Amino acid sequence: MDDKRYILSLINEGEHQQQDFKYRVSDACKLAKSVSAFANTDGGRLLIGVRDDGNLSGVRSEEEIYMMHQAAYKYCKPESSIKFDTYHIDGRTIVIATVPPSGRRPICALDEEGRKRAYIRINDENIVASPVHLALWRESQKPQGSIMTYDDTIRHLLDVMKGQQTLNQIVRQSRLPRYKVITLLARLIRFSIVKWEYTNQQFLFSLN
């Protein structure tokens, strides 16, 4: 398959969980959000020089390529792995930036003020990771052989979880400290006792 057919076959997939289009790179901070989201989820690729409608615009300058590197190596903490492949189609340069899932989550993106935020990829959107995700990543670094111990606090938390609820709703109903609820939810998700989903721009938690 030649370069043009390969790129067009990717474009035909549209934007999804593991693919995003970038018309141009004008801000390394914004691009870092996409790198963070892919690294913290299932990995993915950025087709740079492709408009949202799938038309080819091409990468226009060396400065754009420089900002791509900046996004991964300066504006992501810790640095994200990333691979750049360049394709030439009808006089235009298309760059595919491939980001593997990270084993060092969270990969955080820095904003213009130097503040760190972790993102995850849900369908074709980059979403700010919830405090529960951050705790879950900490949990996942614990030894695989660790076990789940039920105590009165966990039983109480499970008792108040009815249907789908936001983190704030669970905190209010359980009357437990917020940090404690976050830690326990992460542990319960890790052991598949609780599940989460993203609906109507909010994270909802429920019993599995």
Side-chain angles (χ1 to χ4, degrees):
M1 186 181 293
D2 61 25
D3 284 3
K4 183 173 183 177
R5 289 175 61 194
Y6 174 62
I7 293 297
L8 292 179
S9 72
L10 295 182
I11 290 171
N12 285 337
E13 294 180 12
E15 294 182 307
H16 52 70
Q17 182 98 0
Q18 293 182 279
Q19 181 163 284
D20 199 3
F21 299 160
K22 291 294 180 188
Y23 159 49
R24 59 181 298 182
V25 180
S26 58
D27 187 333
C29 289
K30 289 182 180 177
L31 188 62
K33 294 178 183 178
S34 293
V35 175
S36 167
F38 282 135
N40 289 330
T41 313
D42 301 319
R45 57 181 170 258
L46 288 155
L47 274 60
I48 302 170
V50 177
R51 296 178 185 271
D52 288 343
D53 60 8
N55 287 321
L56 303 180
S57 57
V59 174
R60 301 187 179 190
S61 68
E62 290 294 323
E63 185 180 356
E64 286 193 62
I65 295 174
Y66 171 74
M67 281 193 283
M68 293 178 211
H69 287 83
Q70 290 280 87
Y73 303 127
K74 181 179 178 181
Y75 290 99
C76 282
K77 299 295 180 186
E79 291 182 359
S80 172
S81 297
I82 193 166
K83 179 169 73 79
F84 296 99
D85 295 294
T86 303
Y87 299 84
H88 302 285
I89 302 167
D90 299 336
R92 294 181 175 87
T93 299
I94 306 299
V95 175
I96 297 182
T98 305
V99 180
S102 176
R104 299 186 297 163
R105 300 173 191 177
I107 300 292
C108 294
L110 300 181
D111 64 16
E112 291 81 358
E113 284 76 40
R115 292 172 300 197
K116 295 194 296 184
R117 273 188 174 175
Y119 292 81
I120 59 174
R121 184 81 174 172
I122 300 177
N123 297 324
D124 61 351
E125 291 185 83
N126 301 326
I127 309 296
V128 177
S130 76
V132 178
H133 287 96
L134 300 179
L136 184 58
W137 289 324
R138 290 193 296 270
E139 274 286 320
S140 67
Q141 295 171 13
K142 294 181 179 180
Q144 287 291 332
S146 58
I147 60 173
M148 182 76 192
T149 303
Y150 281 86
D151 58 22
D152 290 341
T153 305
I154 290 179
R155 291 191 186 93
H156 170 64
L157 184 66
L158 295 175
D159 284 343
V160 303
M161 291 186 65
K162 308 296 181 185
Q164 293 184 316
Q165 296 170 299
T166 65
L167 172 60
N168 288 339
Q169 288 171 332
I170 296 171
V171 170
R172 282 197 302 269
Q173 293 189 29
S174 68
R175 298 184 180 180
L176 294 170
R178 183 181 175 84
Y179 78 90
K180 187 72 172 178
V181 173
I182 290 169
T183 301
L184 292 178
L185 283 176
R187 194 168 301 160
L188 291 164
I189 290 170
R190 184 188 179 203
F191 286 91
S192 300
I193 297 166
V194 167
K195 59 185 178 181
W196 67 269
E197 66 177 66
Y198 186 73
T199 304
N200 297 325
Q201 299 185 322
Q202 58 184 355
F203 292 101
L204 299 175
F205 303 91
S206 60
L207 299 180
N208 220 342

